[in-house]
Amino acid sequence: MSAPTQPNPSLAPNAAAPPPNGTTGTKDAPGRMSLKLSHLPSRQNIKPVYPRSPSSIDPNNPPWPAYRGYHEYSFAYATMGQRLPTILGKAIEDVVVTLNQEYDEERIVDLVQCIERMDALMKELQEQAKLRPIIDDGEADVALWNKLIAKYFHGKTFMNAPWLFAEAYKYRRLQECFSVSKYWKNYDVFFRQKCDTFSRSHDAVFELSMRFADPFKLKEGLSPQEKLEAERLMFFELTQICLWGNSTDLSLLINMTEDQIRSLQSTGGENLAATEKNILGNHMQRLWETVSDLRENTGGRIDFVLDNAGFELYCDCVYADFLIQSGLAKEIRFHGKRYPWFVSDVTKKDWEWLLNSMVYGHLFPKASEEEKESLRRLGLRWKQYEKEGKWIYEQHPFWCTGFTFWELHNEAPDLFLHLSRSDLVIFKGDLNHRKLTYDCAAPPSTDFEIAIGPMASAAGAPRVCSMRTIKSDVVVGLGPEGDELAERLDKEEPGWKISGKYAVVLLSEGRPGEKVVFT
């Protein structure tokens, strides 16, 4: 038998490659094949097309790029890395104050466990942990939250999930710290702050109560046209008061001094005239035409999707009072949150506290008797509106979910149908504006109707007004030259998007009266 043939050491099996630690045996051969593509077209700079097509939009992929916590150019970076831990730290301090005032052992142990859960949440924030499902605490929104997390944010962290969702998730987790307890399910870690800020709003509170304690009356002897003009001017001023009342946002202004609060809340006529130029997208005239048309049609229903408690809520109520007295509306519905949300958002507890404090409270020890009486009369009239059904407070679970309002039509059809019956829905504040616009990097020149998607385009969509003091990145509705205006402000006033100096009052006509259709 002949000896077996030895393999050629210079060839790999099947001649596919050199053997381990071997060479091809070809001197100076290149390690890789390379081609010179001198006759092909040059590489193209291909940019994604925005806005995304409707079929490709989802909570993790908004119409335009989302702001995320790791974006250093965005306010999301400071919020997720610094503001939220600071807010949570102050919330823990509030609970410790309550703990130190308790005497019942069972309640104390229960509250200590709440603090331990808050500490665990703080650690997750600081370590940029992955987002876990919400524990079933009996709230109506648990399934909505966990569907979102499982479907769109599985494996996402506080920093790489879209900022709006991650921030909302933090507040839902904070609520969970108490909702799974035995004795502290309804505890509001922000309640003291909300009450304290209103009690330090002396000048602005009485500036309004002394003017509106009794039902307002126009001057006698005015022609119908003069009366209408007087009402229009009053409407414009009260719209601004309602708008700039949003300046008192506790989540942004945690350590305000009393003088700073007084400056922000100035409601004098000269101040309002000076600030109107800072309303970069201004549809107030269209808004006036809308509400005056309501009166021509025997009045109607106006809804307020509320933002901040305390002074802003007080301004909202002054505005709503005028709408009722003037006949511009017959019914006002106020939409608040079911539990503490984004520090200063209105809950039913905040609503009742405001009205009862106005009538019975002793918040302003330095106030004159006339001032106290003016506030009491105002509060009594507002409570009477409630009894008569002219003012109605509501709190749908959808408002405390991680969904934007683009999903309201699909995820809360009952709420969409309810709002479709309103003649005008006023969304107050920065958070509601972010949810209306999907909180994404749409160009500032983007039309408001485009930016709010189904809230403008769906059949039966109500007229929508956003009254917002600008305090975050998303800015739309500034008109055809809005991009140039934003670029100029970026150069001249860095930080203008978070300063609260500028605002928008934007209106969408919607598709009212059309039959609402759900697919």
Side-chain angles (χ1 to χ4, degrees), residues 89-383:
K90 287 187 174 291
I92 293 172
E93 291 174 7
D94 175 272
V95 182
V96 170
V97 170
T98 300
L99 179 70
N100 292 338
Q101 296 171 347
E102 275 296 323
Y103 60 89
D104 181 86
E105 182 178 10
E106 199 171 347
R107 288 172 58 85
I108 289 173
V109 171
D110 198 28
L111 192 56
V112 167
Q113 292 172 347
C114 293
I115 296 174
E116 290 171 351
R117 288 187 285 269
M118 295 172 78
D119 287 335
L121 177 58
M122 177 70 85
K123 184 178 180 182
E124 290 183 42
L125 264 178
Q126 293 171 336
E127 294 180 353
Q128 302 175 21
K130 292 182 179 180
L131 310 180
R132 66 155 173 81
I134 300 297
I135 295 173
D136 188 353
D137 55 6
E139 263 295 335
D141 60 1
V142 174
L144 287 174
W145 273 103
N146 289 341
K147 181 176 80 169
L148 265 172
I149 294 169
K151 193 171 182 179
Y152 301 107
F153 303 113
H154 181 70
K156 292 291 185 182
T157 70
F158 281 96
M159 294 301 280
N160 64 21
W163 170 29
L164 179 60
F165 180 83
E167 190 173 9
Y169 174 82
K170 174 261 179 182
Y171 284 99
R172 183 59 180 91
R173 284 286 306 279
L174 180 58
Q175 169 63 13
E176 182 191 279
C177 293
F178 297 92
S179 60
V180 298
S181 70
K182 182 177 180 180
Y183 296 105
W184 304 95
K185 293 182 183 295
N186 298 315
Y187 188 79
D188 185 348
V189 296
F190 307 120
F191 187 67
R192 285 190 181 94
Q193 291 175 252
K194 289 183 277 192
C195 297
D196 181 61
T197 303
F198 184 71
S199 67
R200 289 190 286 147
S201 304
H202 178 286
D203 290 358
V205 167
F206 291 116
E207 175 73 25
L208 293 173
S209 69
M210 291 294 288
R211 294 172 183 269
F212 292 99
D214 295 319
F216 79 90
K217 296 180 181 178
L218 298 175
K219 293 180 180 180
E220 295 183 2
L222 296 178
S223 67
Q225 191 61 38
E226 289 172 330
K227 288 181 179 179
L228 187 64
E229 178 63 10
E231 283 184 335
R232 187 186 72 85
L233 293 174
M234 192 181 302
F235 174 83
F236 270 56
E237 290 202 356
L238 285 172
T239 299
Q240 280 213 67
I241 288 171
C242 190
L243 170 68
W244 296 109
N246 174 246
S247 295
T248 312
D249 183 338
L250 292 180
S251 71
L252 295 169
L253 305 173
I254 289 290
N255 296 310
M256 286 180 64
T257 66
E258 194 164 335
D259 287 341
Q260 288 171 324
I261 291 174
R262 187 179 298 115
S263 174
L264 277 172
Q265 295 173 340
S266 174
T267 55
E270 292 182 5
N271 183 67
L272 292 177
T275 56
E276 186 171 357
K277 69 180 186 301
N278 291 339
I279 303 176
L280 302 182
N282 190 344
H283 295 171
M284 281 200 294
Q285 180 60 35
R286 286 176 55 196
L287 186 62
W288 163 250
E289 292 167 0
T290 296
V291 296
S292 54
D293 284 346
L294 293 183
R295 182 168 57 186
E296 295 300 318
N297 295 309
T298 69
R301 166 185 155 189
I302 295 178
D303 288 52
F304 282 78
V305 181
L306 298 169
D307 188 35
N308 295 321
F311 182 71
E312 182 180 350
L313 176 59
Y314 176 76
C315 291
D316 295 340
C317 289
V318 170
Y319 191 48
D321 190 357
F322 167 76
L323 295 173
I324 291 289
Q325 287 189 54
S326 61
L328 294 169
K330 285 188 174 180
E331 177 185 306
I332 307 286
R333 290 179 179 263
F334 299 89
H335 300 265
K337 307 301 191 298
R338 290 171 63 89
Y339 47 77
W341 191 247
F342 281 70
V343 182
S344 48
D345 280 30
V346 178
T347 65
K348 184 68 182 297
K349 181 178 179 180
D350 298 321
W351 171 270
E352 293 177 344
W353 178 86
L354 176 66
L355 269 60
N356 287 324
S357 294
M358 291 170 66
V359 175
Y360 305 110
H362 294 77
L363 294 175
F364 305 101
K366 297 180 181 179
S368 67
E369 291 303 315
E370 292 80 5
E371 288 174 329
K372 293 177 183 177
E373 177 61 18
S374 70
L375 195 60
R376 190 183 73 86
R377 290 187 190 182
L378 203 56
L380 285 171
R381 186 164 70 247
W382 296 352
K383 290 170 78 70

